[in-house]
Amino acid sequence: MTQPAAARYSGPAIALHWLLALAIIGTFCLGVYMTSLPMSPARLKYYNWHKWAGVTILALSALRLLWRLWRRPPPLPEQVLRSMPGWQRIAHHATHHGMYLLFFAVPLVGWAYSSAASFPIVWFGVLQLPDFVSPDRALAQAIKPWHGALAYALATLVVLHVAAVIKHQLIDRDGLLARMLPGRA
């Protein structure tokens, strides 16, 4: 028996999803790598790249949220909703809401830390961004662990999201992944 095709996300939503996915994973990996390096010109370069990526993620997240508010995503197909236990529906919504919250919280806390530590952000070496908070060493030390903790929380939610996608694709075989893949269905 053939199941009806699930409604797809729009082209811009798909593009923003995959662009943010790559940016977030890459920036997280860079963050883990750069913090393990000894102080050097390379480490300072990577910190700048990390900050540029964080500001870019923040801008793309705002664009993605605006697009999502303007163009609502397709609902889950009825057959998927019927087969999902209540806890999975709750986990689905909680994971998505948590990721959206962290798309903003992680870069904003990083920006606040950078500002409090008196390390300005010069986006792509061209545009100096204003300080998010006033320079304050004690505040910087208080904020610093939050940036890492929130980044790891986001990474955990991303892993849960990917695990759910794999489950839907390989176990449930319900075609949900096709809704977010580039190209025509």
Side-chain angles (χ1 to χ4, degrees), residues 107-132:
L108 287 173
V109 170
W111 189 352
Y113 165 68
S114 197
S115 296
S118 295
F119 299 131
I121 298 174
V122 184
W123 199 28
F124 295 106
V126 176
L127 177 64
Q128 181 163 347
L129 301 179
D131 282 338
F132 193 62

Side-chain angles (χ1 to χ4, degrees), residues 85-141:
W87 71 268
Q88 283 184 6
R89 273 180 273 179
I90 291 168
H92 163 79
H93 291 295
T95 301
H96 279 93
H97 287 104
M99 285 193 301
Y100 267 92
L101 175 69
L102 292 168
F103 290 165
F104 291 93
V106 174
L108 287 173
V109 170
W111 189 352
Y113 165 68
S114 197
S115 296
S118 295
F119 299 131
I121 298 174
V122 184
W123 199 28
F124 295 106
V126 176
L127 177 64
Q128 181 163 347
L129 301 179
D131 282 338
F132 193 62
V133 298
S134 298
D136 179 333
R137 227 179 220 343
L139 179 61
Q141 290 308 308

Side-chain angles (χ1 to χ4, degrees), residues 16 28 44 65 88-89 99 116 125 136 143-144 150 160 171 178 183:
L16 286 167
F28 178 80
L44 295 175
L65 180 61
Q88 283 184 6
R89 273 180 273 179
M99 285 193 301
D136 179 333
I143 293 172
K144 185 177 182 179
L150 291 171
L160 287 172
I171 296 171

Side-chain angles (χ1 to χ4, degrees), residues 5 7 9 15-16 18-19 21-22 24 28 32 42 77 98 109 111 113 117 144 151 156 169 175 178 180 184:
Y9 282 80
L16 286 167
W18 291 107
L19 186 58
L22 291 172
I24 288 167
F28 178 80
V32 170
V109 170
W111 189 352
Y113 165 68
K144 185 177 182 179
T156 300
Q169 187 66 19
M180 189 52 84
R184 299 216 180 265

Side-chain angles (χ1 to χ4, degrees), residues 22-85:
L22 291 172
I24 288 167
I25 291 167
T27 304
F28 178 80
C29 291
L30 178 61
V32 170
Y33 174 69
M34 71 186 194
T35 57
S36 69
L37 295 175
M39 189 51 70
S40 67
R43 180 179 168 144
L44 295 175
K45 176 177 68 174
Y46 295 147
Y47 266 83
N48 280 323
W49 290 358
H50 183 79
K51 291 192 278 185
W52 299 346
V55 171
T56 303
I57 288 168
L58 184 60
L60 289 171
S61 296
L63 184 60
R64 183 174 182 189
L65 180 61
L66 289 172
W67 182 262
R68 187 178 179 102
L69 293 172
W70 183 64
R71 180 102 184 250
R72 302 299 296 171
L76 286 172
E78 191 59 40
Q79 75 271 13
V80 172
L81 281 173
R82 278 196 308 266
S83 68
M84 283 176 89

